[in-house]
Amino acid sequence: MNVNTRFIYICSIFKPLQPTMKKFIALAIFSAFTLTLNAQESTSQTSKKNVYTASTSELIFSWGTVEAKPLNPNNIVRFTCFLHLGEQLHVDFNEHAGFYTGLSLRNVGLINDLNDTVKIKQRVYTLGIPLALKLGNMQGTNIAAGVEGEFSIAYKQKVFVNDEKSKTNEWFSDRTNIFLPSAFAELRTKNGAYIKFKYYLTDFLTEGNQKTNVPNLNYNPTKSQMMYVSFGWALKTREMVKHGQSMKKM
């Protein structure tokens, strides 16, 4: 697929996703507006506002439900530790509430046994932008809930037939949805360790675009719901505002 064809394809992918994207964007805007109002109210009542950045990484256990009749895929939990990186901007309104946003690079995907002899592994690297509200002890244990929009950038597929492997790599592939919105909840401890559950709101795979290069195997998933549990850590890298006062460089 040449560059022009791929660009046209990406545009065609986004067109049917417009209702989903509009809902997701509207939710994000509403959340940001609500958080801004909360921030203004909180800062007028307290001088304990903190603003800081944090670097993150995590271990991901993903799974899902794939329907692809006449096949009956058997999903296998997928574990991955590479490469998951993130930079977050945290704003703590006071001691008990705050929010964060940022940018993340993540490796997510599914593994399925299609029959007794064929196994398929499908993953993408995504770029994501989260928006989450935090409640609890901002200097200790707290919980967060939010949404994230992820964009698929690099696809990789491995097909095993009787333990013989074939691989496929594509940029901006048409085998997965380009836009992957999700909702998540996490519990974070004082030292920055956290556990997160994330649920993707659209199918991971696209219908009619799967290729396995296995004779007489018709793999056409009509449903591919994905979710994961991750264990990670967030290390504070820079304080920009502490207790309402700007931090000056030494």
Side-chain angles (χ1 to χ4, degrees), residues 53-61 79-88 90 100 103-107 125 130 148 186-189 191-196 198 228-237:
T53 59
S55 297
T56 68
S57 187
E58 58 190 348
L59 309 176
I60 294 178
F61 296 84
F79 167 73
T80 179
C81 59
F82 183 86
L83 176 69
H84 310 130
L85 300 174
E87 287 295 323
Q88 297 177 346
H90 289 253
Y100 75 79
L103 184 67
S104 63
L105 176 68
R106 192 174 287 113
N107 172 358
Y125 272 105
E148 183 166 3
E186 69 180 34
L187 173 67
R188 189 172 303 199
T189 64
N191 62 9
Y194 65 85
I195 180 172
K196 176 190 295 181
K198 176 180 282 189
Y228 72 68
V229 169
S230 67
F231 301 89
W233 51 93
L235 302 177
K236 187 181 295 187
T237 53

mmCIF file of all heavy atoms in Angstrom, residues 53-61 79-88 90 100 103-107 125 130 148 186-189 191-196 198 228-237:
data_model
loop_
_atom_site.group_PDB
_atom_site.id
_atom_site.type_symbol
_atom_site.label_atom_id
_atom_site.label_comp_id
_atom_site.label_asym_id
_atom_site.label_seq_id
_atom_site.Cartn_x
_atom_site.Cartn_y
_atom_site.Cartn_z
ATOM 1 N N THR A 53 5.319 16.812 37.169
ATOM 2 C CA THR A 53 5.333 15.819 36.101
ATOM 3 C C THR A 53 5.822 14.485 36.659
ATOM 4 O O THR A 53 6.511 14.429 37.677
ATOM 5 C CB THR A 53 6.242 16.255 34.943
ATOM 6 O OG1 THR A 53 7.575 16.455 35.439
ATOM 7 C CG2 THR A 53 5.740 17.542 34.313
ATOM 8 N N ALA A 54 5.449 13.401 35.966
ATOM 9 C CA ALA A 54 5.859 12.060 36.379
ATOM 10 C C ALA A 54 6.110 11.205 35.151
ATOM 11 O O ALA A 54 5.412 11.326 34.137
ATOM 12 C CB ALA A 54 4.796 11.412 37.266
ATOM 13 N N SER A 55 7.105 10.335 35.241
ATOM 14 C CA SER A 55 7.402 9.362 34.194
ATOM 15 C C SER A 55 6.843 8.006 34.614
ATOM 16 O O SER A 55 6.967 7.619 35.782
ATOM 17 C CB SER A 55 8.909 9.249 33.960
ATOM 18 O OG SER A 55 9.433 10.470 33.492
ATOM 19 N N THR A 56 6.232 7.279 33.668
ATOM 20 C CA THR A 56 5.570 6.029 34.002
ATOM 21 C C THR A 56 6.033 4.877 33.120
ATOM 22 O O THR A 56 6.516 5.070 32.001
ATOM 23 C CB THR A 56 4.043 6.153 33.867
ATOM 24 O OG1 THR A 56 3.713 6.320 32.468
ATOM 25 C CG2 THR A 56 3.512 7.330 34.650
ATOM 26 N N SER A 57 5.874 3.677 33.650
ATOM 27 C CA SER A 57 6.038 2.443 32.892
ATOM 28 C C SER A 57 5.172 1.392 33.555
ATOM 29 O O SER A 57 4.772 1.548 34.715
ATOM 30 C CB SER A 57 7.509 2.006 32.855
ATOM 31 O OG SER A 57 7.675 0.889 31.985
ATOM 32 N N GLU A 58 4.863 0.299 32.833
ATOM 33 C CA GLU A 58 3.954 -0.678 33.396
ATOM 34 C C GLU A 58 4.112 -2.045 32.749
ATOM 35 O O GLU A 58 4.717 -2.186 31.680
ATOM 36 C CB GLU A 58 2.499 -0.204 33.254
ATOM 37 C CG GLU A 58 2.069 0.061 31.829
ATOM 38 C CD GLU A 58 0.705 0.758 31.744
ATOM 39 O OE1 GLU A 58 -0.011 0.842 32.758
ATOM 40 O OE2 GLU A 58 0.361 1.221 30.637
ATOM 41 N N LEU A 59 3.588 -3.058 33.440
ATOM 42 C CA LEU A 59 3.493 -4.424 32.943
ATOM 43 C C LEU A 59 2.023 -4.676 32.627
ATOM 44 O O LEU A 59 1.161 -4.421 33.459
ATOM 45 C CB LEU A 59 3.992 -5.424 33.988
ATOM 46 C CG LEU A 59 5.364 -5.141 34.604
ATOM 47 C CD1 LEU A 59 5.668 -6.163 35.694
ATOM 48 C CD2 LEU A 59 6.448 -5.176 33.533
ATOM 49 N N ILE A 60 1.735 -5.199 31.426
ATOM 50 C CA ILE A 60 0.354 -5.307 30.960
ATOM 51 C C ILE A 60 -0.045 -6.765 30.755
ATOM 52 O O ILE A 60 0.666 -7.532 30.094
ATOM 53 C CB ILE A 60 0.150 -4.517 29.660
ATOM 54 C CG1 ILE A 60 0.311 -3.015 29.920
ATOM 55 C CG2 ILE A 60 -1.225 -4.797 29.062
ATOM 56 C CD1 ILE A 60 0.169 -2.155 28.676
ATOM 57 N N PHE A 61 -1.208 -7.113 31.323
ATOM 58 C CA PHE A 61 -1.843 -8.415 31.086
ATOM 59 C C PHE A 61 -3.156 -8.130 30.348
ATOM 60 O O PHE A 61 -4.111 -7.641 30.950
ATOM 61 C CB PHE A 61 -2.121 -9.136 32.404
ATOM 62 C CG PHE A 61 -0.887 -9.494 33.184
ATOM 63 C CD1 PHE A 61 -0.283 -8.555 34.024
ATOM 64 C CD2 PHE A 61 -0.313 -10.757 33.083
ATOM 65 C CE1 PHE A 61 0.851 -8.873 34.762
ATOM 66 C CE2 PHE A 61 0.821 -11.079 33.805
ATOM 67 C CZ PHE A 61 1.410 -10.145 34.642
ATOM 68 N N PHE A 79 0.925 -11.232 28.072
ATOM 69 C CA PHE A 79 1.754 -10.453 28.993
ATOM 70 C C PHE A 79 2.829 -9.725 28.197
ATOM 71 O O PHE A 79 3.478 -10.302 27.310
ATOM 72 C CB PHE A 79 2.427 -11.349 30.028
ATOM 73 C CG PHE A 79 3.532 -10.644 30.788
ATOM 74 C CD1 PHE A 79 3.223 -9.682 31.740
ATOM 75 C CD2 PHE A 79 4.868 -10.926 30.534
ATOM 76 C CE1 PHE A 79 4.229 -9.011 32.424
ATOM 77 C CE2 PHE A 79 5.876 -10.268 31.210
ATOM 78 C CZ PHE A 79 5.552 -9.310 32.163
ATOM 79 N N THR A 80 3.009 -8.444 28.501
ATOM 80 C CA THR A 80 4.076 -7.695 27.856
ATOM 81 C C THR A 80 4.637 -6.647 28.813
ATOM 82 O O THR A 80 3.889 -6.024 29.575
ATOM 83 C CB THR A 80 3.588 -7.021 26.553
ATOM 84 O OG1 THR A 80 4.646 -6.279 25.967
ATOM 85 C CG2 THR A 80 2.442 -6.076 26.829
ATOM 86 N N CYS A 81 5.953 -6.471 28.751
ATOM 87 C CA CYS A 81 6.621 -5.479 29.597
ATOM 88 C C CYS A 81 7.350 -4.426 28.773
ATOM 89 O O CYS A 81 7.940 -3.504 29.329
ATOM 90 C CB CYS A 81 7.611 -6.175 30.542
ATOM 91 S SG CYS A 81 8.892 -7.129 29.697
ATOM 92 N N PHE A 82 7.319 -4.550 27.432
ATOM 93 C CA PHE A 82 8.086 -3.654 26.573
ATOM 94 C C PHE A 82 7.246 -3.323 25.342
ATOM 95 O O PHE A 82 6.624 -4.203 24.766
ATOM 96 C CB PHE A 82 9.386 -4.358 26.155
ATOM 97 C CG PHE A 82 10.308 -3.528 25.327
ATOM 98 C CD1 PHE A 82 11.222 -2.681 25.919
ATOM 99 C CD2 PHE A 82 10.252 -3.587 23.948
ATOM 100 C CE1 PHE A 82 12.087 -1.917 25.159
ATOM 101 C CE2 PHE A 82 11.105 -2.818 23.170
ATOM 102 C CZ PHE A 82 12.019 -1.992 23.781
ATOM 103 N N LEU A 83 7.139 -2.123 24.949
ATOM 104 C CA LEU A 83 7.726 -0.913 25.506
ATOM 105 C C LEU A 83 6.573 -0.050 25.972
ATOM 106 O O LEU A 83 5.710 0.306 25.183
ATOM 107 C CB LEU A 83 8.570 -0.201 24.449
ATOM 108 C CG LEU A 83 9.205 1.135 24.801
ATOM 109 C CD1 LEU A 83 10.302 1.000 25.815
ATOM 110 C CD2 LEU A 83 9.729 1.808 23.525
ATOM 111 N N HIS A 84 6.512 0.274 27.243
ATOM 112 C CA HIS A 84 5.432 1.085 27.793
ATOM 113 C C HIS A 84 6.047 2.287 28.510
ATOM 114 O O HIS A 84 6.660 2.131 29.566
ATOM 115 C CB HIS A 84 4.591 0.275 28.777
ATOM 116 C CG HIS A 84 4.144 -1.051 28.245
ATOM 117 N ND1 HIS A 84 4.319 -2.218 28.941
ATOM 118 C CD2 HIS A 84 3.563 -1.386 27.072
ATOM 119 C CE1 HIS A 84 3.844 -3.226 28.230
ATOM 120 N NE2 HIS A 84 3.379 -2.751 27.093
ATOM 121 N N LEU A 85 5.873 3.453 27.914
ATOM 122 C CA LEU A 85 6.442 4.674 28.481
ATOM 123 C C LEU A 85 5.380 5.763 28.524
ATOM 124 O O LEU A 85 4.504 5.833 27.658
ATOM 125 C CB LEU A 85 7.623 5.163 27.641
ATOM 126 C CG LEU A 85 8.814 4.210 27.502
ATOM 127 C CD1 LEU A 85 9.827 4.787 26.530
ATOM 128 C CD2 LEU A 85 9.458 3.946 28.851
ATOM 129 N N GLY A 86 5.456 6.624 29.539
ATOM 130 C CA GLY A 86 4.510 7.719 29.627
ATOM 131 C C GLY A 86 5.072 8.909 30.361
ATOM 132 O O GLY A 86 5.954 8.764 31.214
ATOM 133 N N GLU A 87 4.577 10.079 30.009
ATOM 134 C CA GLU A 87 4.881 11.315 30.724
ATOM 135 C C GLU A 87 3.551 11.942 31.117
ATOM 136 O O GLU A 87 2.683 12.149 30.269
ATOM 137 C CB GLU A 87 5.687 12.278 29.871
ATOM 138 C CG GLU A 87 7.132 11.868 29.668
ATOM 139 C CD GLU A 87 7.933 11.868 30.970
ATOM 140 O OE1 GLU A 87 7.688 12.762 31.819
ATOM 141 O OE2 GLU A 87 8.787 10.989 31.134
ATOM 142 N N GLN A 88 3.401 12.220 32.396
ATOM 143 C CA GLN A 88 2.144 12.752 32.918
ATOM 144 C C GLN A 88 2.338 14.126 33.546
ATOM 145 O O GLN A 88 3.370 14.388 34.168
ATOM 146 C CB GLN A 88 1.554 11.797 33.969
ATOM 147 C CG GLN A 88 1.182 10.429 33.424
ATOM 148 C CD GLN A 88 0.678 9.491 34.502
ATOM 149 O OE1 GLN A 88 0.830 9.745 35.698
ATOM 150 N NE2 GLN A 88 0.067 8.389 34.090
ATOM 151 N N HIS A 90 0.523 16.341 36.370
ATOM 152 C CA HIS A 90 -0.426 16.262 37.477
ATOM 153 C C HIS A 90 -0.706 17.642 38.042
ATOM 154 O O HIS A 90 0.220 18.441 38.224
ATOM 155 C CB HIS A 90 0.131 15.375 38.594
ATOM 156 C CG HIS A 90 0.177 13.921 38.241
ATOM 157 N ND1 HIS A 90 -0.691 12.996 38.778
ATOM 158 C CD2 HIS A 90 0.997 13.237 37.398
ATOM 159 C CE1 HIS A 90 -0.404 11.803 38.291
ATOM 160 N NE2 HIS A 90 0.616 11.918 37.452
ATOM 161 N N TYR A 100 -4.886 14.478 36.116
ATOM 162 C CA TYR A 100 -3.669 14.397 35.309
ATOM 163 C C TYR A 100 -4.002 14.134 33.855
ATOM 164 O O TYR A 100 -5.055 13.587 33.518
ATOM 165 C CB TYR A 100 -2.690 13.359 35.854
ATOM 166 C CG TYR A 100 -3.036 11.905 35.619
ATOM 167 C CD1 TYR A 100 -2.798 11.283 34.390
ATOM 168 C CD2 TYR A 100 -3.558 11.113 36.642
ATOM 169 C CE1 TYR A 100 -3.083 9.958 34.178
ATOM 170 C CE2 TYR A 100 -3.844 9.783 36.458
ATOM 171 C CZ TYR A 100 -3.605 9.198 35.210
ATOM 172 O OH TYR A 100 -3.905 7.865 35.007
ATOM 173 N N LEU A 103 0.998 11.952 27.870
ATOM 174 C CA LEU A 103 1.221 11.260 26.598
ATOM 175 C C LEU A 103 1.848 9.908 26.904
ATOM 176 O O LEU A 103 2.780 9.819 27.716
ATOM 177 C CB LEU A 103 2.141 12.077 25.694
ATOM 178 C CG LEU A 103 2.396 11.515 24.289
ATOM 179 C CD1 LEU A 103 1.116 11.539 23.465
ATOM 180 C CD2 LEU A 103 3.495 12.316 23.584
ATOM 181 N N SER A 104 1.332 8.851 26.257
ATOM 182 C CA SER A 104 1.825 7.506 26.538
ATOM 183 C C SER A 104 2.123 6.749 25.255
ATOM 184 O O SER A 104 1.496 6.974 24.216
ATOM 185 C CB SER A 104 0.799 6.718 27.364
ATOM 186 O OG SER A 104 -0.407 6.545 26.622
ATOM 187 N N LEU A 105 3.114 5.870 25.329
ATOM 188 C CA LEU A 105 3.422 4.920 24.266
ATOM 189 C C LEU A 105 3.201 3.533 24.845
ATOM 190 O O LEU A 105 3.773 3.196 25.894
ATOM 191 C CB LEU A 105 4.871 5.073 23.794
ATOM 192 C CG LEU A 105 5.353 4.057 22.749
ATOM 193 C CD1 LEU A 105 4.640 4.269 21.423
ATOM 194 C CD2 LEU A 105 6.871 4.166 22.559
ATOM 195 N N ARG A 106 2.395 2.710 24.170
ATOM 196 C CA ARG A 106 1.967 1.458 24.782
ATOM 197 C C ARG A 106 1.895 0.340 23.739
ATOM 198 O O ARG A 106 1.557 0.576 22.579
ATOM 199 C CB ARG A 106 0.600 1.675 25.448
ATOM 200 C CG ARG A 106 0.138 0.583 26.352
ATOM 201 C CD ARG A 106 -1.149 0.974 27.058
ATOM 202 N NE ARG A 106 -0.936 1.985 28.090
ATOM 203 C CZ ARG A 106 -1.402 3.215 28.026
ATOM 204 N NH1 ARG A 106 -2.107 3.605 27.002
ATOM 205 N NH2 ARG A 106 -1.164 4.066 29.012
ATOM 206 N N ASN A 107 2.182 -0.869 24.181
ATOM 207 C CA ASN A 107 2.151 -2.083 23.358
ATOM 208 C C ASN A 107 0.982 -2.949 23.829
ATOM 209 O O ASN A 107 1.039 -3.541 24.899
ATOM 210 C CB ASN A 107 3.495 -2.807 23.516
ATOM 211 C CG ASN A 107 3.515 -4.186 22.873
ATOM 212 O OD1 ASN A 107 2.529 -4.666 22.320
ATOM 213 N ND2 ASN A 107 4.664 -4.836 22.957
ATOM 214 N N TYR A 125 1.506 -0.776 18.596
ATOM 215 C CA TYR A 125 1.992 0.303 19.451
ATOM 216 C C TYR A 125 1.031 1.471 19.267
ATOM 217 O O TYR A 125 0.657 1.812 18.138
ATOM 218 C CB TYR A 125 3.413 0.711 19.071
ATOM 219 C CG TYR A 125 4.456 -0.090 19.785
ATOM 220 C CD1 TYR A 125 5.176 -1.086 19.112
ATOM 221 C CD2 TYR A 125 4.736 0.115 21.134
ATOM 222 C CE1 TYR A 125 6.146 -1.840 19.763
ATOM 223 C CE2 TYR A 125 5.695 -0.632 21.795
ATOM 224 C CZ TYR A 125 6.393 -1.605 21.107
ATOM 225 O OH TYR A 125 7.333 -2.348 21.765
ATOM 226 N N PRO A 130 -4.294 10.534 28.018
ATOM 227 C CA PRO A 130 -5.272 10.277 29.073
ATOM 228 C C PRO A 130 -5.765 11.572 29.712
ATOM 229 O O PRO A 130 -5.107 12.612 29.661
ATOM 230 C CB PRO A 130 -4.462 9.457 30.077
ATOM 231 C CG PRO A 130 -3.072 10.032 29.963
ATOM 232 C CD PRO A 130 -2.909 10.424 28.505
ATOM 233 N N GLU A 148 -9.140 7.689 27.874
ATOM 234 C CA GLU A 148 -7.920 7.858 27.091
ATOM 235 C C GLU A 148 -8.218 7.588 25.621
ATOM 236 O O GLU A 148 -8.941 6.649 25.288
ATOM 237 C CB GLU A 148 -6.812 6.926 27.570
ATOM 238 C CG GLU A 148 -5.490 7.128 26.829
ATOM 239 C CD GLU A 148 -4.308 6.456 27.505
ATOM 240 O OE1 GLU A 148 -4.514 5.781 28.534
ATOM 241 O OE2 GLU A 148 -3.177 6.630 27.008
ATOM 242 N N GLU A 186 -7.773 3.353 38.313
ATOM 243 C CA GLU A 186 -6.511 2.906 38.891
ATOM 244 C C GLU A 186 -6.423 3.257 40.366
ATOM 245 O O GLU A 186 -7.057 4.204 40.842
ATOM 246 C CB GLU A 186 -5.316 3.496 38.136
ATOM 247 C CG GLU A 186 -5.141 4.982 38.300
ATOM 248 C CD GLU A 186 -3.937 5.511 37.514
ATOM 249 O OE1 GLU A 186 -3.638 4.985 36.430
ATOM 250 O OE2 GLU A 186 -3.319 6.481 37.986
ATOM 251 N N LEU A 187 -5.616 2.483 41.061
ATOM 252 C CA LEU A 187 -5.304 2.711 42.468
ATOM 253 C C LEU A 187 -3.809 2.948 42.571
ATOM 254 O O LEU A 187 -3.009 2.113 42.114
ATOM 255 C CB LEU A 187 -5.715 1.500 43.314
ATOM 256 C CG LEU A 187 -5.304 1.529 44.797
ATOM 257 C CD1 LEU A 187 -6.065 2.624 45.531
ATOM 258 C CD2 LEU A 187 -5.562 0.164 45.439
ATOM 259 N N ARG A 188 -3.419 4.086 43.148
ATOM 260 C CA ARG A 188 -2.002 4.460 43.214
ATOM 261 C C ARG A 188 -1.570 4.648 44.668
ATOM 262 O O ARG A 188 -2.314 5.204 45.473
ATOM 263 C CB ARG A 188 -1.749 5.748 42.429
ATOM 264 C CG ARG A 188 -0.282 6.101 42.260
ATOM 265 C CD ARG A 188 -0.084 7.286 41.310
ATOM 266 N NE ARG A 188 -0.664 7.043 39.992
ATOM 267 C CZ ARG A 188 -0.316 7.727 38.905
ATOM 268 N NH1 ARG A 188 0.603 8.690 38.987
ATOM 269 N NH2 ARG A 188 -0.893 7.470 37.750
ATOM 270 N N THR A 189 -0.378 4.174 44.989
ATOM 271 C CA THR A 189 0.131 4.256 46.359
ATOM 272 C C THR A 189 1.062 5.454 46.516
ATOM 273 O O THR A 189 1.410 6.132 45.542
ATOM 274 C CB THR A 189 0.885 2.973 46.734
ATOM 275 O OG1 THR A 189 2.045 2.846 45.892
ATOM 276 C CG2 THR A 189 0.003 1.740 46.555
ATOM 277 N N ASN A 191 4.240 5.616 47.082
ATOM 278 C CA ASN A 191 5.532 5.536 46.399
ATOM 279 C C ASN A 191 5.412 5.540 44.877
ATOM 280 O O ASN A 191 6.412 5.388 44.168
ATOM 281 C CB ASN A 191 6.312 4.304 46.863
ATOM 282 C CG ASN A 191 5.588 3.004 46.547
ATOM 283 O OD1 ASN A 191 4.585 2.998 45.832
ATOM 284 N ND2 ASN A 191 6.096 1.902 47.075
ATOM 285 N N GLY A 192 4.189 5.686 44.337
ATOM 286 C CA GLY A 192 3.996 5.786 42.899
ATOM 287 C C GLY A 192 3.592 4.494 42.217
ATOM 288 O O GLY A 192 3.258 4.503 41.020
ATOM 289 N N ALA A 193 3.602 3.366 42.924
ATOM 290 C CA ALA A 193 3.153 2.103 42.337
ATOM 291 C C ALA A 193 1.647 2.151 42.128
ATOM 292 O O ALA A 193 0.913 2.741 42.919
ATOM 293 C CB ALA A 193 3.534 0.932 43.238
ATOM 294 N N TYR A 194 1.162 1.516 41.039
ATOM 295 C CA TYR A 194 -0.272 1.544 40.784
ATOM 296 C C TYR A 194 -0.733 0.262 40.094
ATOM 297 O O TYR A 194 0.054 -0.460 39.480
ATOM 298 C CB TYR A 194 -0.666 2.759 39.934
ATOM 299 C CG TYR A 194 -0.117 2.778 38.530
ATOM 300 C CD1 TYR A 194 -0.758 2.112 37.488
ATOM 301 C CD2 TYR A 194 1.044 3.493 38.225
ATOM 302 C CE1 TYR A 194 -0.261 2.145 36.189
ATOM 303 C CE2 TYR A 194 1.549 3.542 36.942
ATOM 304 C CZ TYR A 194 0.889 2.860 35.922
ATOM 305 O OH TYR A 194 1.392 2.885 34.645
ATOM 306 N N ILE A 195 -2.020 -0.002 40.220
ATOM 307 C CA ILE A 195 -2.697 -1.057 39.480
ATOM 308 C C ILE A 195 -3.839 -0.412 38.716
ATOM 309 O O ILE A 195 -4.556 0.433 39.250
ATOM 310 C CB ILE A 195 -3.198 -2.194 40.411
ATOM 311 C CG1 ILE A 195 -3.906 -3.274 39.589
ATOM 312 C CG2 ILE A 195 -4.095 -1.653 41.510
ATOM 313 C CD1 ILE A 195 -4.257 -4.500 40.401
ATOM 314 N N LYS A 196 -3.975 -0.783 37.440
ATOM 315 C CA LYS A 196 -4.964 -0.135 36.567
ATOM 316 C C LYS A 196 -5.779 -1.189 35.815
ATOM 317 O O LYS A 196 -5.253 -2.220 35.403
ATOM 318 C CB LYS A 196 -4.251 0.767 35.559
ATOM 319 C CG LYS A 196 -5.170 1.426 34.526
ATOM 320 C CD LYS A 196 -4.376 2.098 33.420
ATOM 321 C CE LYS A 196 -3.560 3.261 33.949
ATOM 322 N NZ LYS A 196 -2.804 3.934 32.857
ATOM 323 N N LYS A 198 -8.235 -1.255 32.405
ATOM 324 C CA LYS A 198 -8.658 -0.458 31.246
ATOM 325 C C LYS A 198 -9.556 -1.296 30.343
ATOM 326 O O LYS A 198 -9.284 -2.473 30.089
ATOM 327 C CB LYS A 198 -7.449 0.041 30.455
ATOM 328 C CG LYS A 198 -7.841 0.801 29.179
ATOM 329 C CD LYS A 198 -6.638 1.293 28.416
ATOM 330 C CE LYS A 198 -6.065 2.534 29.063
ATOM 331 N NZ LYS A 198 -5.029 3.165 28.216
ATOM 332 N N TYR A 228 -7.447 -4.779 29.739
ATOM 333 C CA TYR A 228 -6.234 -5.249 30.403
ATOM 334 C C TYR A 228 -6.157 -4.777 31.849
ATOM 335 O O TYR A 228 -6.827 -3.835 32.260
ATOM 336 C CB TYR A 228 -4.976 -4.858 29.623
ATOM 337 C CG TYR A 228 -4.562 -3.407 29.627
ATOM 338 C CD1 TYR A 228 -4.090 -2.775 30.779
ATOM 339 C CD2 TYR A 228 -4.569 -2.663 28.443
ATOM 340 C CE1 TYR A 228 -3.661 -1.460 30.767
ATOM 341 C CE2 TYR A 228 -4.150 -1.344 28.423
ATOM 342 C CZ TYR A 228 -3.696 -0.747 29.583
ATOM 343 O OH TYR A 228 -3.274 0.554 29.571
ATOM 344 N N VAL A 229 -5.311 -5.485 32.593
ATOM 345 C CA VAL A 229 -4.888 -5.079 33.932
ATOM 346 C C VAL A 229 -3.391 -4.823 33.862
ATOM 347 O O VAL A 229 -2.650 -5.616 33.266
ATOM 348 C CB VAL A 229 -5.196 -6.166 34.980
ATOM 349 C CG1 VAL A 229 -4.513 -5.838 36.307
ATOM 350 C CG2 VAL A 229 -6.692 -6.301 35.188
ATOM 351 N N SER A 230 -2.951 -3.718 34.428
ATOM 352 C CA SER A 230 -1.522 -3.408 34.421
ATOM 353 C C SER A 230 -1.037 -3.079 35.817
ATOM 354 O O SER A 230 -1.796 -2.588 36.663
ATOM 355 C CB SER A 230 -1.215 -2.248 33.462
ATOM 356 O OG SER A 230 -1.788 -1.040 33.934
ATOM 357 N N PHE A 231 0.236 -3.363 36.030
ATOM 358 C CA PHE A 231 0.928 -3.013 37.268
ATOM 359 C C PHE A 231 2.074 -2.098 36.879
ATOM 360 O O PHE A 231 2.937 -2.478 36.071
ATOM 361 C CB PHE A 231 1.452 -4.262 37.980
ATOM 362 C CG PHE A 231 0.372 -5.244 38.341
ATOM 363 C CD1 PHE A 231 -0.014 -6.232 37.449
ATOM 364 C CD2 PHE A 231 -0.270 -5.162 39.568
ATOM 365 C CE1 PHE A 231 -1.011 -7.141 37.774
ATOM 366 C CE2 PHE A 231 -1.266 -6.058 39.898
ATOM 367 C CZ PHE A 231 -1.642 -7.054 39.004
ATOM 368 N N GLY A 232 2.082 -0.892 37.417
ATOM 369 C CA GLY A 232 3.088 0.070 36.990
ATOM 370 C C GLY A 232 3.576 0.949 38.114
ATOM 371 O O GLY A 232 3.247 0.765 39.285
ATOM 372 N N TRP A 233 4.373 1.923 37.712
ATOM 373 C CA TRP A 233 4.917 2.872 38.671
ATOM 374 C C TRP A 233 5.069 4.226 37.994
ATOM 375 O O TRP A 233 5.315 4.326 36.792
ATOM 376 C CB TRP A 233 6.260 2.397 39.219
ATOM 377 C CG TRP A 233 7.243 2.011 38.166
ATOM 378 C CD1 TRP A 233 8.205 2.786 37.588
ATOM 379 C CD2 TRP A 233 7.340 0.739 37.517
ATOM 380 N NE1 TRP A 233 8.897 2.083 36.642
ATOM 381 C CE2 TRP A 233 8.396 0.816 36.575
ATOM 382 C CE3 TRP A 233 6.653 -0.477 37.653
ATOM 383 C CZ2 TRP A 233 8.759 -0.266 35.763
ATOM 384 C CZ3 TRP A 233 7.020 -1.546 36.837
ATOM 385 C CH2 TRP A 233 8.071 -1.422 35.927
ATOM 386 N N ALA A 234 4.877 5.277 38.782
ATOM 387 C CA ALA A 234 5.008 6.651 38.299
ATOM 388 C C ALA A 234 6.012 7.369 39.189
ATOM 389 O O ALA A 234 5.797 7.490 40.393
ATOM 390 C CB ALA A 234 3.655 7.356 38.331
ATOM 391 N N LEU A 235 7.087 7.824 38.593
ATOM 392 C CA LEU A 235 8.144 8.507 39.335
ATOM 393 C C LEU A 235 8.060 10.006 39.085
ATOM 394 O O LEU A 235 8.151 10.464 37.944
ATOM 395 C CB LEU A 235 9.518 7.980 38.913
ATOM 396 C CG LEU A 235 9.739 6.468 39.099
ATOM 397 C CD1 LEU A 235 11.120 6.072 38.578
ATOM 398 C CD2 LEU A 235 9.577 6.076 40.560
ATOM 399 N N LYS A 236 7.888 10.761 40.161
ATOM 400 C CA LYS A 236 7.814 12.216 40.032
ATOM 401 C C LYS A 236 9.152 12.743 39.522
ATOM 402 O O LYS A 236 10.210 12.431 40.063
ATOM 403 C CB LYS A 236 7.474 12.855 41.376
ATOM 404 C CG LYS A 236 7.205 14.351 41.310
ATOM 405 C CD LYS A 236 6.900 14.926 42.682
ATOM 406 C CE LYS A 236 5.612 14.383 43.261
ATOM 407 N NZ LYS A 236 5.251 15.076 44.525
ATOM 408 N N THR A 237 9.098 13.530 38.439
ATOM 409 C CA THR A 237 10.336 14.000 37.812
ATOM 410 C C THR A 237 10.598 15.482 38.031
ATOM 411 O O THR A 237 11.749 15.912 38.062
ATOM 412 C CB THR A 237 10.304 13.727 36.299
ATOM 413 O OG1 THR A 237 9.105 14.289 35.733
ATOM 414 C CG2 THR A 237 10.333 12.231 36.025
#
